[in-house]
Amino acid sequence: TADLALLPIDSDLVLGVNIAQIQTSPMWKDFIAPRVMTDEVKAKLDEFKQKCNIDPLAVVKSASVGLKDAAAGKEGVVVVHGPDKAKVMACAETMKATPTSDAKVEVTQDGDVIVLRPKSAGPDTPSVAFTFTSADTAVIVVGPKATVAGVKAVAYETIQLKDGSLP
């Protein structure tokens, strides 16, 4: 699919998941949910739902993942289909404008690129950065390349917008 063009060509792991479909399967109920949906994860999801009025498990329909083990650490790209760009960008704006005292992540924005950086990391080591390439498709860069420039490189290399902007 078009998602593969966005993933690093030298990925050690390439994975495509139809999240909407797997959540309706017995495998999700019996094997995945009990291991993934810990009390801590549920609490974080509930907090996110309350702050942003977005249920990630309901809005994310599918994802394509390309990850590799690089010298600077684990890195990769995730393409997520389903979330509404306007709602996610509004949520990022809310989180940026009203950080809580116990927030573990700093949210910054440069145009249409959102960067989420652990507060314990150095200024040049963000862990996740993303943008939208359509109204319901996000491109997420993970690891040392998770910067505004890193996200733009992934999006621009593939989409090659004539005016240099993101859709």
Side-chain angles (χ1 to χ4, degrees):
T1 69
D3 291 0
L4 289 177
L6 293 164
L7 304 182
I9 196 160
D10 57 346
S11 294
D12 296 323
L13 169 75
V14 175
L15 176 69
V17 182
N18 183 329
I19 296 168
Q21 184 177 12
I22 201 167
Q23 286 180 1
T24 63
S25 74
M27 183 180 287
W28 175 265
K29 181 182 168 197
D30 296 340
F31 298 107
I32 300 170
R35 288 166 181 77
V36 175
M37 299 302 293
T38 64
D39 289 340
E40 182 180 350
V41 170
K42 288 177 188 175
K44 291 290 183 191
L45 287 173
D46 287 343
E47 179 183 347
F48 185 79
K49 284 187 238 181
Q50 282 186 328
K51 281 185 180 177
C52 297
N53 200 27
I54 299 171
D55 180 354
L57 292 177
V59 300
V60 174
K61 304 301 179 204
S62 64
S64 298
V65 181
L67 299 173
K68 65 181 178 177
D69 219 358
K74 294 185 183 350
E75 62 183 56
V77 174
V78 181
V79 181
V80 178
H81 297 277
D84 180 87
K85 176 182 179 178
K87 288 182 180 181
V88 172
M89 296 304 277
C91 173
E93 186 62 38
T94 298
M95 294 178 84
K96 185 176 74 167
T98 57
T100 60
S101 60
D102 63 342
K104 294 179 178 153
V105 176
E106 176 188 7
V107 179
T108 58
Q109 183 173 356
D110 184 339
D112 277 348
V113 178
I114 304 295
V115 179
L116 307 172
R117 181 187 343 229
K119 286 188 174 180
S120 60
D124 297 324
T125 56
S127 60
V128 176
F130 68 92
T131 194
F132 279 79
T133 58
S134 72
D136 64 355
T137 301
V139 175
I140 304 165
V141 177
V142 180
K145 294 181 180 176
T147 62
V148 172
V151 169
K152 287 181 177 181
V154 171
Y156 290 150
E157 285 176 13
T158 305
I159 300 170
Q160 298 179 1
L161 297 177
K162 292 178 184 166
D163 67 357
S165 66
L166 293 170

